[in-house]
Amino acid sequence: MKLNFRRIIAIINKEFIQIRRDPRTIALILMMPIMQLLLFGYAVSNNVDHVPTAVLNLDIGSQSRKLLSSFSNSQYFDLDYYVKSIDDVQKLVDKGAVKAGIIIPPDYSENIARGKTAQIQLVVDGTDPTTAQVILSSAGSITQVYSTEIVSQKIQTLTQGRKLSGVLDIRPRVWYNPDMDSVYFNIPGLIGIILQNITLMLTSFALVRERERGTLEQLIVTPIKKMELMIGKIVPYIIIGFVDLILAVAIGTLWFKVPITGNILLLFAFSIMFLLGALGVGLFISTISNTQLQAMQLSMFLIMPNILLSGFMFPRDAMPKVIYMLSNFIPLTYFLKVLRGIILKGVGIEYLWPEFMILVVFGVGVLVLAAGKFQKRIG
Amino acid sequence: MEYAIEIENLTKKFGNFTAVNNVSFNVKKGEIFVFLGPNGSGKTTVIRMLIGLLTPTSGLGRVLDFDIVKNPEQIRLNIGYMSQKFSLYDELTVEENLDFYAGVYLVPKDVLQQRKREILEMADLVGRENSITATLSGGWKQRLALGCAIIHNPKLVFLDEPTGGVDPVARRQFWDLIYRLSENGVTVMVTTHYMDEAEHCNTIGFIHYGNLLAVDTPENLKKNQMKGQIIEIKCDKLMESLELLKTVDFVKDAAVYGQGLHIVVDDAKRYLVTLADILKSGGVKVANIKHVNPSLEDVFVFLVENESRKQFIREMM
């Protein structure tokens, strides 16, 4: 089958004119990446700090004040409320005014002074388990450090000045994202999500719109070949996908200051492969839908599991085995690995070639499937 | 090759529903063939089979000597097609629409400008080249759609209900374009449900519920298909008179026609006076009663009645 370049150009040209004259499509192409990046970049943050906290201090000694100041100095806790009874703590948690409460018993300072184990109580609002988890672990490490300090002081006084050497000393070092800032995690993932959503939606409408308006029937009756039509329909959206990719990368690096440590050309090469798959899925939806509404519903149906399972929001390691297996069949899973690998870790093709192969196989496969499903007949 | 289209026993079924039933006819090269029938009678289905959009359930068809099932792509190179709703790209300008179809049909670039000018002049669209198609009125859109369908100079053009939803003046203008195409040797197959449009074509095919009732020239249809003669009556109390006349034994058929009634009888001269008397004694004021030549509508109504009588008899036996 010999493809005619002029026919393909005619389709591409027509597609671009239609996009150019439709303000809603233009808005979607330009605003969606910007809005999603800003929304996710700012609003969706897993960084839990400055937790509003209530304090019920029944102790009158100086030790408890020292402990509390180590809490407030940590930046993790804001000791907003000092209350008089356990009921008050309860009320503040119920109201949602605080997420945590620190309760210090009356004998706290006395116990410390006597060298006994002193107890404090931490109350955490568990409605949001992720936040509660972070609060628990930061409170844990604050008290850990504080108690080590007390013990070492005790030993120093007992041994007349001899310093305590620890038994086990962990020296953690976090690579690639040392501050563990969730923006670094979110932005590369978002680039993948945006790329997929916009191209999938636009292409799934591309053929259905023509079917709805009757222009597809007109087009089928011309001598245009199936592949010419398919290529003509895909190329404009690859270009648009690329515009959005550059836009998203620019916002990520310039606005959110997430540097691209790896090779940007490699990133682009991967993106093309990923785009082929997303466009193929869009075209496939196009061939099996009769109305734009159906196409929209099908796109949404596919986009949701992509967001949930790809590891964009929730770590795949925490998923049950079945779900984890399922997420292996989502190309976005691999693309996210690639994006985070190149942007955050700066790794190259030597580590990413399996993902490259998977994306190529998926992209070509789904395009062939869509082309096979599309018929120049209506019945 | 004498025929542009040859169809033999063409049938299309959608599940249990037979949309086109055993239809056979030929269309001569260079003629205007009007496919006439009410909405839903199977006209569009026949055309869609001829251009390869639908696969026939059974039967044979050849368009420009190419088999409609085996060679649809060869057919598509040589035909123009205008579907029911003028399928233009609304966001594109008039010229962009023409350029698009010229690109898809691979109209040679050296003749493109000349060809576009011809089309614009023919369709009376000169000066509108840069108008957005969505802003054009029905008549303009319809002529532009025809222009797009013939930009590559096809030998055969299919026009599916091209005049639906267009005002009478635009309809007349459009038919002038069809005659012009025919003068230039293009074969035109048009579907319509307007009887008056069929009067001036070369051949009419009457189709009703998937059955082809007759194929002939308009003159022959009126002369040969009607079994009987027509008496036209202008009178008051139309419906009452209609009921009254239907009870008369020599009246074969009676129907409202425009402002009056058309009555089918064997011999118009013989029954003219009798009919007038019957009406007068029934208390009807007759303004005018005369023998007229049958119109296409009379023929069509007769053929449909005849068909349902045959159907009725078949079902009884």
Side-chain angles (χ1 to χ4, degrees), chain A residues 150-167:
Chain A
I150 295 171
V151 171
S152 73
Q153 270 173 12
K154 272 266 147 59
I155 291 174
Q156 237 170 311
T157 37
L158 286 177
T159 58
Q160 281 115 27
R162 266 217 280 158
K163 283 240 166 98
L164 169 79
S165 59
V167 184

Side-chain angles (χ1 to χ4, degrees), chain A residues 53-73:
Chain A
T53 309
V55 177
L56 171 61
N57 191 357
L58 303 170
D59 182 61
I60 36 162
S62 63
Q63 286 294 340
S64 61
R65 282 199 295 279
K66 270 195 207 158
L67 173 72
L68 286 174
S69 66
S70 74
F71 266 94
S72 59
N73 288 340

Side-chain angles (χ1 to χ4, degrees), chain B residues 289-308:
Chain B
I289 179 163
K290 63 179 180 194
H291 173 210
V292 294
N293 288 323
S295 66
L296 277 176
E297 192 171 332
D298 291 319
V299 179
F300 189 69
V301 169
F302 175 81
L303 287 171
V304 169
E305 295 272 320
N306 206 26
E307 176 70 17
S308 52

Side-chain angles (χ1 to χ4, degrees), chain A residues 168-283:
Chain A
L168 186 64
D169 186 8
I170 181 164
R171 293 281 173 89
R173 185 170 294 170
V174 178
W175 281 2
Y176 308 126
N177 181 7
D179 297 330
M180 294 200 281
D181 192 336
S182 59
V183 165
Y184 278 62
F185 180 72
N186 281 339
I187 297 288
L190 260 176
I191 293 174
I193 294 273
I194 288 167
L195 221 52
Q196 159 157 301
N197 289 3
I198 201 136
T199 49
L200 198 140
M201 269 176 4
L202 289 179
T203 39
S204 67
F205 290 164
L207 269 179
V208 180
R209 195 175 45 218
E210 295 217 21
R211 182 169 294 139
E212 261 184 344
R213 293 199 197 162
T215 48
L216 188 65
E217 184 179 319
Q218 192 72 49
L219 211 49
I220 290 173
V221 177
T222 71
I224 197 164
K225 295 196 176 72
K226 193 161 80 173
M227 283 314 285
E228 290 166 346
L229 179 58
M230 289 280 178
I231 295 170
K233 282 276 174 191
I234 286 175
V235 170
Y237 297 102
I238 290 191
I239 293 170
I240 287 170
F242 235 82
V243 168
D244 275 344
L245 174 68
I246 290 167
L247 188 64
V249 167
I251 295 173
T253 49
L254 302 177
W255 187 265
F256 288 106
K257 309 274 183 235
V258 179
I260 295 175
T261 40
N263 187 341
I264 193 155
L265 293 178
L266 186 66
L267 183 72
F268 287 167
F270 267 104
S271 302
I272 290 182
M273 285 307 128
F274 177 68
L275 276 175
L276 282 184
L279 290 168
V281 173
L283 272 185

Side-chain angles (χ1 to χ4, degrees), chain A residues 218, chain B residues 80-83 86-88 98 115 119 122-123 125 139-152 154 157-159 162 173-179 181 188:
Chain A
Q218 192 72 49
Chain B
Y81 168 62
M82 190 176 147
S83 66
F86 330 127
S87 307
L88 298 159
L98 288 173
R115 185 69 192 137
I119 300 263
M122 176 207 82
L125 283 164
W140 301 100
K141 276 192 195 174
Q142 170 205 45
R143 292 199 295 277
L144 175 60
L146 179 65
C148 291
I150 60 169
I151 187 116
H152 56 301
V157 180
F158 291 95
L159 307 173
Q173 245 180 317
F174 192 79
W175 270 92
D176 287 342
L177 293 183
I178 295 179
Y179 298 138
L181 279 176
V188 184

Side-chain angles (χ1 to χ4, degrees), chain A residues 278-298:
Chain A
L279 290 168
V281 173
L283 272 185
F284 189 78
I285 291 175
S286 235
T287 56
I288 59 172
S289 311
N290 286 320
T291 63
Q292 292 191 62
L293 185 67
Q294 285 175 0
M296 183 73 187
Q297 286 169 336
L298 262 175

